[in-house]
Amino acid sequence: MATNYIKAGKSPDMIAPVGGVTSSTAFLMGGFFGVAGGSAAEGESFVLHTEGIWELPCLSTDVVAIGDTLYWDDDNSRLTTTSTDNTKVGIAYTAKAAAATAVQIKLLPGVGV
């Protein structure tokens, strides 16, 4: 194995930012986007899942079709189909009607980085 290998990058260990993190919540952390694998207080280590399929909050008025590109609205901590001022983070794994408040997303490796 290469001598400069650190570890697989799908679920990196991160240090919780100011305010800490709550398990199962999605967020941007610098250039990383993912879902916290556990809760951690500020300065503690936690796993950030940056790949996989997750159910996350979404703008309720968005209508989403399978395969639609989804963006992270960091100001409101939710997914949206609106690209302006948001970060592309994945594609819809399921469809979502206008009244629903969550959608399943396939996180794209390296998105948000």
Side-chain angles (χ1 to χ4, degrees):
M1 171 161 301
T3 59
N4 58 343
Y5 177 80
I6 305 298
K7 67 177 281 184
K10 292 180 181 181
S11 300
D13 293 327
M14 306 293 279
I15 300 299
V18 173
V21 296
T22 302
S23 180
S24 303
T25 57
F27 59 94
L28 280 169
M29 186 173 174
F32 291 95
F33 177 79
V35 178
S39 296
E42 177 181 338
E44 290 183 346
S45 180
F46 73 101
V47 173
L48 180 66
H49 297 282
T50 58
E51 293 187 30
I53 298 169
W54 300 87
E55 184 171 272
L56 299 176
C58 188
L59 179 61
S60 64
T61 55
D62 282 348
V63 174
V64 178
I66 294 171
D68 280 357
T69 300
L70 294 171
Y71 303 85
W72 185 250
D73 173 356
D74 204 39
D75 291 337
N76 296 296
S77 299
R78 65 184 176 203
L79 297 167
T80 181
T81 57
T82 303
S83 62
T84 305
D85 297 325
N86 296 312
T87 304
K88 180 180 174 181
V89 294
I91 57 173
Y93 185 70
T94 58
K96 182 192 89 62
T101 59
V103 66
Q104 292 181 11
I105 181 175
K106 163 82 170 77
L107 300 182
L108 297 178
V111 172
V113 177

